[in-house]
Amino acid sequence: MKIALTGNPNSGKTTLFNAITGRIEHVGNWAGVTVDKKEGPVKKTLNDSGVDITVVDLPGAYSMSPFTSEESITRDFVKNEAPDVIINIVDATNLNRSLFFTTQLLELNIPVVIALNKSDLTAKKKTKINTTLLSQLLKCPVVETISTQSKNEGLKRLIKEAVKVNGDQQEAPFTGVGDQATKEEVLTADKERYAFIAKLIKQVEKKVQQSKDTTLQDKADRIIANKWFGIPIFIVVMWAVFAISQTYVGTFFADILSGWIDTFGGFVSNQLGSDVDPFLSALLVDGIIGGVGAVVGFLPLIMVLFFLLALLEDCGYMARVAVVMDRFFKKVGLSGKSIIPMIIGTGCAIPGIMATRTIKNDRQRRTTAMLTPFMPCGAKLPIIALFSGVFFNNSAVVSVGMYALGILLIIISALMIRRITGERKSKSYFIMELPEYRIPSLKRAVVSMFSRAKAFIIKAGTIILVCNALIQIMQTFSWSNGHFQMVAEGAENTSILATIASPFAILLLPLGFGVWQLAAAAITGFIAKENVVGTLAVVYGITNFIDPDELVLVGGGSDVATIMGISSVAALSYLTFNLFTPPCFAAIGAMNSELESPKWLWGAIGFQLSMGYIVAFIIYQLGTLITTGSLGQYFIQGLIAVAIFIGTYIYLMIKGDRKAELAHA
């Protein structure tokens, strides 16, 4: 038996899916969190029917007439896949909005069970809903549920009702028009549908007259979502998040984990003894344990960060951030919805890019997908933590600065892309229901934290492990006269890895880090950004990165800085280069899917690569000028490359302006 789970965005649909299946899917306060259908079996504790039940969580939708590609997924699945039963999640605090979609579902000749969700909040709003009468008027079962409470009896009854109606024929309470109807007929039918819903709500919903006095939430929003105070508040909040995760709590646990990894590496080294081949010993201890351990050592920092972000999202704050940023994004030619994929992208760029399908305008959708990777994702956090801890005293300031720089790049890039595409003005409307402020669920935050930690560990145990093993092999051998030869100690510059990375290192000289080791780490970062840290651990022979008391590598940050052979300015340049050049291959694949154009894809990759190069060049050359009184090395060569990039941008923008003039002529 297959059940389709449908409902409006922010109705608690994915939370309910997690509750009845035991799965761990991301939950958010906005549309675009569920960007594709997800499946899972109903938990045995909720299913005593003896029937195998699969639940499909579909993207949120407001109507069976889709305006976005994610709504199309819901429409196409319901119409073409023919689920046995539809469970429609209805927000009990907003019947007027939710029931429009409900009445459309009831016309499909598929049994429907209504989950009247958030029923615990109706009491707080002094609202009473007559579920018995609602069931009679809609001619389908109605079950009160609280999706945030997995042991709520309503969930068990919901599944029981779904099994009971399987195969039944339900009569639709309202009949609209067919697929072949004209636009005027559809509009007329929609007006009648709204009138039917309004009449129904008057019968089933009884509200106590609310006072017109400003509520505490309204007072809070006047400050938190204020157009002037909202941005500074956001900066302070994010600074606190990074200070806690990367300076205090996160590093405390990272020190413990790093100690375990170091002890394990020493144990393995002792067990191997002196009789084992030196190459195999180095491959296992330095390449695999050392390289992977260097990445995993940052896991506690990432877990604490995502725990705090989950709390912020659950309490309703992140939805306010989207509202605050909306007015700025519209002015640079992006949709108000663009901020949502970018916030999602701070966890992982892939779902962030996929969430752009909620944007209706093709140009705005493609631009958002192209720029979302500029927001540092979870995979880039180890790089931020490493370089801010080694070269800078205040890692929280550096971390917040990287996110602020990402937002600045997005704004500048959006203005450029709007001119390149010849679309001078574009209207966008951002309608979003702000969730009520609430005490965040520690349980959900912990579940979200461990879910992300699991994904991080899986990547470390697969992609990063294999990559670091290959790096160790390539660094150990050279290719001479058609044969592999062991590289002599001190002759690492002749290794296969150095041979491959050296040509790329030449291109990076104007950025302050033109050495093959750093170039190799940057290259492996395109496979997975965490590889940057792992590769550095292998090529420099450093197996333990964190000392939480000093925020430097074990053995002293200055020692490591000396080993790398770069200044703090060059380190900042290297950090920005890795953050703002193209993302990992998996994210590029997601871009390819959402951009739907080879021209846009290659343009996006070239744009990201050139922007990362330009930013790193400016930081290194300007920073060197400020700190030493003179420009950095290879300034002229770098200036030529930057001039070529900027010249290309200017040419494309002029071409786009001419295109716009012709369109308006």
Side-chain angles (χ1 to χ4, degrees), residues 527-561:
I527 301 172
K529 287 299 178 181
E530 300 95 333
N531 273 333
V532 173
V533 173
T535 302
L536 289 175
V538 173
V539 296
Y540 285 117
I542 307 167
T543 59
N544 202 341
F545 272 118
I546 304 172
D547 180 344
D549 297 324
E550 302 295 334
L551 276 178
V552 297
L553 303 187
V554 171
S558 59
D559 294 340
V560 176

mmCIF file of all heavy atoms in Angstrom, residues 527-561:
data_model
loop_
_atom_site.group_PDB
_atom_site.id
_atom_site.type_symbol
_atom_site.label_atom_id
_atom_site.label_comp_id
_atom_site.label_asym_id
_atom_site.label_seq_id
_atom_site.Cartn_x
_atom_site.Cartn_y
_atom_site.Cartn_z
ATOM 1 N N ILE A 527 36.847 17.710 -5.715
ATOM 2 C CA ILE A 527 36.195 16.406 -5.512
ATOM 3 C C ILE A 527 35.294 16.485 -4.288
ATOM 4 O O ILE A 527 34.137 16.078 -4.317
ATOM 5 C CB ILE A 527 37.250 15.301 -5.347
ATOM 6 C CG1 ILE A 527 38.156 15.236 -6.586
ATOM 7 C CG2 ILE A 527 36.575 13.951 -5.089
ATOM 8 C CD1 ILE A 527 39.331 14.301 -6.432
ATOM 9 N N ALA A 528 35.826 16.989 -3.191
ATOM 10 C CA ALA A 528 35.066 17.236 -1.962
ATOM 11 C C ALA A 528 35.857 18.282 -1.198
ATOM 12 O O ALA A 528 37.060 18.132 -1.003
ATOM 13 C CB ALA A 528 34.906 15.965 -1.135
ATOM 14 N N LYS A 529 35.211 19.347 -0.768
ATOM 15 C CA LYS A 529 35.932 20.465 -0.159
ATOM 16 C C LYS A 529 36.680 20.057 1.105
ATOM 17 O O LYS A 529 37.697 20.658 1.450
ATOM 18 C CB LYS A 529 34.954 21.607 0.138
ATOM 19 C CG LYS A 529 34.492 22.353 -1.105
ATOM 20 C CD LYS A 529 35.661 22.997 -1.849
ATOM 21 C CE LYS A 529 35.210 23.712 -3.110
ATOM 22 N NZ LYS A 529 36.330 24.319 -3.856
ATOM 23 N N GLU A 530 36.195 19.035 1.805
ATOM 24 C CA GLU A 530 36.913 18.566 2.992
ATOM 25 C C GLU A 530 38.296 18.038 2.637
ATOM 26 O O GLU A 530 39.197 17.976 3.491
ATOM 27 C CB GLU A 530 36.127 17.463 3.708
ATOM 28 C CG GLU A 530 34.749 17.861 4.191
ATOM 29 C CD GLU A 530 33.663 17.504 3.193
ATOM 30 O OE1 GLU A 530 33.957 17.426 1.982
ATOM 31 O OE2 GLU A 530 32.522 17.305 3.623
ATOM 32 N N ASN A 531 38.475 17.645 1.372
ATOM 33 C CA ASN A 531 39.759 17.098 0.935
ATOM 34 C C ASN A 531 40.900 18.105 1.071
ATOM 35 O O ASN A 531 42.072 17.706 1.150
ATOM 36 C CB ASN A 531 39.672 16.654 -0.529
ATOM 37 C CG ASN A 531 39.170 15.235 -0.669
ATOM 38 O OD1 ASN A 531 39.351 14.421 0.231
ATOM 39 N ND2 ASN A 531 38.536 14.947 -1.784
ATOM 40 N N VAL A 532 40.573 19.403 1.067
ATOM 41 C CA VAL A 532 41.625 20.415 1.188
ATOM 42 C C VAL A 532 42.407 20.204 2.474
ATOM 43 O O VAL A 532 43.646 20.184 2.483
ATOM 44 C CB VAL A 532 41.013 21.835 1.153
ATOM 45 C CG1 VAL A 532 42.088 22.880 1.442
ATOM 46 C CG2 VAL A 532 40.363 22.104 -0.201
ATOM 47 N N VAL A 533 41.687 20.013 3.579
ATOM 48 C CA VAL A 533 42.336 19.804 4.872
ATOM 49 C C VAL A 533 43.082 18.472 4.889
ATOM 50 O O VAL A 533 44.227 18.386 5.342
ATOM 51 C CB VAL A 533 41.293 19.857 6.012
ATOM 52 C CG1 VAL A 533 41.926 19.465 7.338
ATOM 53 C CG2 VAL A 533 40.690 21.245 6.101
ATOM 54 N N GLY A 534 42.426 17.412 4.401
ATOM 55 C CA GLY A 534 43.067 16.099 4.392
ATOM 56 C C GLY A 534 44.326 16.060 3.554
ATOM 57 O O GLY A 534 45.337 15.463 3.950
ATOM 58 N N THR A 535 44.286 16.706 2.395
ATOM 59 C CA THR A 535 45.456 16.725 1.520
ATOM 60 C C THR A 535 46.610 17.502 2.147
ATOM 61 O O THR A 535 47.770 17.090 2.070
ATOM 62 C CB THR A 535 45.093 17.337 0.150
ATOM 63 O OG1 THR A 535 44.037 16.577 -0.438
ATOM 64 C CG2 THR A 535 46.293 17.336 -0.783
ATOM 65 N N LEU A 536 46.293 18.624 2.784
ATOM 66 C CA LEU A 536 47.337 19.392 3.469
ATOM 67 C C LEU A 536 47.996 18.564 4.563
ATOM 68 O O LEU A 536 49.213 18.639 4.772
ATOM 69 C CB LEU A 536 46.745 20.674 4.061
ATOM 70 C CG LEU A 536 46.331 21.757 3.058
ATOM 71 C CD1 LEU A 536 45.651 22.916 3.780
ATOM 72 C CD2 LEU A 536 47.529 22.259 2.265
ATOM 73 N N ALA A 537 47.186 17.768 5.260
ATOM 74 C CA ALA A 537 47.742 16.912 6.319
ATOM 75 C C ALA A 537 48.718 15.899 5.742
ATOM 76 O O ALA A 537 49.766 15.613 6.333
ATOM 77 C CB ALA A 537 46.608 16.199 7.051
ATOM 78 N N VAL A 538 48.389 15.372 4.565
ATOM 79 C CA VAL A 538 49.243 14.351 3.950
ATOM 80 C C VAL A 538 50.518 14.963 3.384
ATOM 81 O O VAL A 538 51.628 14.488 3.654
ATOM 82 C CB VAL A 538 48.464 13.596 2.848
ATOM 83 C CG1 VAL A 538 49.396 12.651 2.094
ATOM 84 C CG2 VAL A 538 47.306 12.812 3.451
ATOM 85 N N VAL A 539 50.375 16.038 2.600
ATOM 86 C CA VAL A 539 51.552 16.579 1.903
ATOM 87 C C VAL A 539 52.529 17.259 2.860
ATOM 88 O O VAL A 539 53.739 17.320 2.592
ATOM 89 C CB VAL A 539 51.137 17.569 0.792
ATOM 90 C CG1 VAL A 539 50.338 16.861 -0.280
ATOM 91 C CG2 VAL A 539 50.369 18.756 1.362
ATOM 92 N N TYR A 540 52.021 17.764 3.986
ATOM 93 C CA TYR A 540 52.915 18.407 4.958
ATOM 94 C C TYR A 540 53.247 17.504 6.136
ATOM 95 O O TYR A 540 53.977 17.904 7.046
ATOM 96 C CB TYR A 540 52.303 19.710 5.468
ATOM 97 C CG TYR A 540 52.364 20.841 4.465
ATOM 98 C CD1 TYR A 540 51.205 21.414 3.961
ATOM 99 C CD2 TYR A 540 53.589 21.324 4.013
ATOM 100 C CE1 TYR A 540 51.249 22.449 3.042
ATOM 101 C CE2 TYR A 540 53.656 22.360 3.095
ATOM 102 C CZ TYR A 540 52.480 22.915 2.606
ATOM 103 O OH TYR A 540 52.539 23.936 1.696
ATOM 104 N N GLY A 541 52.690 16.291 6.145
ATOM 105 C CA GLY A 541 53.003 15.342 7.203
ATOM 106 C C GLY A 541 52.499 15.776 8.565
ATOM 107 O O GLY A 541 53.127 15.485 9.587
ATOM 108 N N ILE A 542 51.365 16.465 8.603
ATOM 109 C CA ILE A 542 50.783 16.917 9.868
ATOM 110 C C ILE A 542 49.533 16.093 10.110
ATOM 111 O O ILE A 542 48.621 16.069 9.290
ATOM 112 C CB ILE A 542 50.400 18.405 9.810
ATOM 113 C CG1 ILE A 542 51.600 19.234 9.358
ATOM 114 C CG2 ILE A 542 49.895 18.892 11.153
ATOM 115 C CD1 ILE A 542 51.238 20.638 8.973
ATOM 116 N N THR A 543 49.463 15.403 11.228
ATOM 117 C CA THR A 543 48.345 14.486 11.456
ATOM 118 C C THR A 543 47.381 14.954 12.533
ATOM 119 O O THR A 543 46.386 14.313 12.783
ATOM 120 C CB THR A 543 48.865 13.092 11.852
ATOM 121 O OG1 THR A 543 49.658 13.214 13.034
ATOM 122 C CG2 THR A 543 49.695 12.502 10.735
ATOM 123 N N ASN A 544 47.665 16.049 13.202
ATOM 124 C CA ASN A 544 46.768 16.501 14.263
ATOM 125 C C ASN A 544 46.649 18.012 14.182
ATOM 126 O O ASN A 544 47.627 18.719 14.321
ATOM 127 C CB ASN A 544 47.306 16.090 15.644
ATOM 128 C CG ASN A 544 46.197 16.050 16.668
ATOM 129 O OD1 ASN A 544 45.149 16.642 16.465
ATOM 130 N ND2 ASN A 544 46.437 15.346 17.757
ATOM 131 N N PHE A 545 45.426 18.502 13.957
ATOM 132 C CA PHE A 545 45.268 19.900 13.616
ATOM 133 C C PHE A 545 44.853 20.827 14.756
ATOM 134 O O PHE A 545 45.086 22.006 14.682
ATOM 135 C CB PHE A 545 44.219 20.042 12.515
ATOM 136 C CG PHE A 545 44.800 19.922 11.151
ATOM 137 C CD1 PHE A 545 44.404 18.915 10.310
ATOM 138 C CD2 PHE A 545 45.753 20.812 10.716
ATOM 139 C CE1 PHE A 545 44.936 18.814 9.046
ATOM 140 C CE2 PHE A 545 46.287 20.714 9.450
ATOM 141 C CZ PHE A 545 45.876 19.712 8.618
ATOM 142 N N ILE A 546 44.184 20.329 15.779
ATOM 143 C CA ILE A 546 43.517 21.257 16.687
ATOM 144 C C ILE A 546 44.094 21.245 18.087
ATOM 145 O O ILE A 546 44.285 20.206 18.686
ATOM 146 C CB ILE A 546 42.009 20.925 16.771
ATOM 147 C CG1 ILE A 546 41.383 20.948 15.386
ATOM 148 C CG2 ILE A 546 41.288 21.890 17.683
ATOM 149 C CD1 ILE A 546 39.968 20.460 15.373
ATOM 150 N N ASP A 547 44.363 22.405 18.590
ATOM 151 C CA ASP A 547 44.625 22.625 20.007
ATOM 152 C C ASP A 547 43.610 23.672 20.451
ATOM 153 O O ASP A 547 43.767 24.864 20.172
ATOM 154 C CB ASP A 547 46.048 23.153 20.217
ATOM 155 C CG ASP A 547 46.334 23.390 21.699
ATOM 156 O OD1 ASP A 547 45.372 23.443 22.479
ATOM 157 O OD2 ASP A 547 47.515 23.533 22.056
ATOM 158 N N PRO A 548 42.524 23.256 21.113
ATOM 159 C CA PRO A 548 41.430 24.182 21.391
ATOM 160 C C PRO A 548 41.816 25.322 22.321
ATOM 161 O O PRO A 548 41.178 26.358 22.326
ATOM 162 C CB PRO A 548 40.367 23.290 22.034
ATOM 163 C CG PRO A 548 41.119 22.148 22.598
ATOM 164 C CD PRO A 548 42.265 21.925 21.672
ATOM 165 N N ASP A 549 42.841 25.143 23.128
ATOM 166 C CA ASP A 549 43.221 26.209 24.044
ATOM 167 C C ASP A 549 43.861 27.378 23.308
ATOM 168 O O ASP A 549 43.691 28.534 23.667
ATOM 169 C CB ASP A 549 44.189 25.674 25.111
ATOM 170 C CG ASP A 549 43.531 24.607 25.973
ATOM 171 O OD1 ASP A 549 42.324 24.754 26.234
ATOM 172 O OD2 ASP A 549 44.222 23.650 26.369
ATOM 173 N N GLU A 550 44.604 27.051 22.242
ATOM 174 C CA GLU A 550 45.333 28.095 21.527
ATOM 175 C C GLU A 550 44.783 28.354 20.131
ATOM 176 O O GLU A 550 45.215 29.258 19.450
ATOM 177 C CB GLU A 550 46.817 27.710 21.412
ATOM 178 C CG GLU A 550 47.510 27.474 22.749
ATOM 179 C CD GLU A 550 47.589 28.745 23.572
ATOM 180 O OE1 GLU A 550 47.584 29.848 22.973
ATOM 181 O OE2 GLU A 550 47.654 28.644 24.805
ATOM 182 N N LEU A 551 43.819 27.527 19.713
ATOM 183 C CA LEU A 551 43.252 27.633 18.373
ATOM 184 C C LEU A 551 44.331 27.548 17.293
ATOM 185 O O LEU A 551 44.326 28.269 16.322
ATOM 186 C CB LEU A 551 42.470 28.940 18.209
ATOM 187 C CG LEU A 551 41.024 28.887 18.710
ATOM 188 C CD1 LEU A 551 40.365 30.244 18.545
ATOM 189 C CD2 LEU A 551 40.222 27.827 18.002
ATOM 190 N N VAL A 552 45.310 26.687 17.539
ATOM 191 C CA VAL A 552 46.362 26.474 16.555
ATOM 192 C C VAL A 552 46.583 24.982 16.400
ATOM 193 O O VAL A 552 46.021 24.180 17.132
ATOM 194 C CB VAL A 552 47.690 27.139 16.988
ATOM 195 C CG1 VAL A 552 47.513 28.648 17.075
ATOM 196 C CG2 VAL A 552 48.161 26.592 18.335
ATOM 197 N N LEU A 553 47.391 24.615 15.458
ATOM 198 C CA LEU A 553 47.715 23.216 15.299
ATOM 199 C C LEU A 553 48.561 22.741 16.467
ATOM 200 O O LEU A 553 49.293 23.509 17.083
ATOM 201 C CB LEU A 553 48.487 22.981 13.998
ATOM 202 C CG LEU A 553 47.807 23.425 12.714
ATOM 203 C CD1 LEU A 553 48.607 22.964 11.533
ATOM 204 C CD2 LEU A 553 46.395 22.893 12.638
ATOM 205 N N VAL A 554 48.470 21.455 16.769
ATOM 206 C CA VAL A 554 49.306 20.888 17.820
ATOM 207 C C VAL A 554 50.764 21.103 17.427
ATOM 208 O O VAL A 554 51.177 20.834 16.306
ATOM 209 C CB VAL A 554 48.999 19.390 17.998
ATOM 210 C CG1 VAL A 554 50.011 18.747 18.929
ATOM 211 C CG2 VAL A 554 47.589 19.211 18.531
ATOM 212 N N GLY A 555 51.548 21.553 18.365
ATOM 213 C CA GLY A 555 52.927 21.898 18.066
ATOM 214 C C GLY A 555 53.101 23.383 17.831
ATOM 215 O O GLY A 555 54.210 23.865 17.693
ATOM 216 N N GLY A 556 51.962 24.129 17.798
ATOM 217 C CA GLY A 556 52.047 25.581 17.644
ATOM 218 C C GLY A 556 51.673 26.026 16.256
ATOM 219 O O GLY A 556 52.151 25.503 15.257
ATOM 220 N N GLY A 557 50.759 26.992 16.189
ATOM 221 C CA GLY A 557 50.308 27.499 14.904
ATOM 222 C C GLY A 557 51.426 28.123 14.109
ATOM 223 O O GLY A 557 51.483 28.010 12.888
ATOM 224 N N SER A 558 52.346 28.807 14.789
ATOM 225 C CA SER A 558 53.446 29.436 14.074
ATOM 226 C C SER A 558 54.324 28.405 13.393
ATOM 227 O O SER A 558 54.855 28.628 12.306
ATOM 228 C CB SER A 558 54.277 30.287 15.044
ATOM 229 O OG SER A 558 54.791 29.466 16.093
ATOM 230 N N ASP A 559 54.482 27.232 14.018
ATOM 231 C CA ASP A 559 55.287 26.177 13.402
ATOM 232 C C ASP A 559 54.638 25.705 12.103
ATOM 233 O O ASP A 559 55.310 25.494 11.095
ATOM 234 C CB ASP A 559 55.431 24.997 14.358
ATOM 235 C CG ASP A 559 56.242 25.355 15.595
ATOM 236 O OD1 ASP A 559 56.990 26.343 15.531
ATOM 237 O OD2 ASP A 559 56.121 24.642 16.589
ATOM 238 N N VAL A 560 53.329 25.528 12.155
ATOM 239 C CA VAL A 560 52.614 25.070 10.970
ATOM 240 C C VAL A 560 52.646 26.130 9.888
ATOM 241 O O VAL A 560 52.804 25.828 8.706
ATOM 242 C CB VAL A 560 51.164 24.709 11.339
ATOM 243 C CG1 VAL A 560 50.379 24.335 10.091
ATOM 244 C CG2 VAL A 560 51.147 23.569 12.327
ATOM 245 N N ALA A 561 52.475 27.391 10.282
ATOM 246 C CA ALA A 561 52.555 28.466 9.304
ATOM 247 C C ALA A 561 53.920 28.468 8.625
ATOM 248 O O ALA A 561 54.036 28.715 7.428
ATOM 249 C CB ALA A 561 52.296 29.811 9.994
#
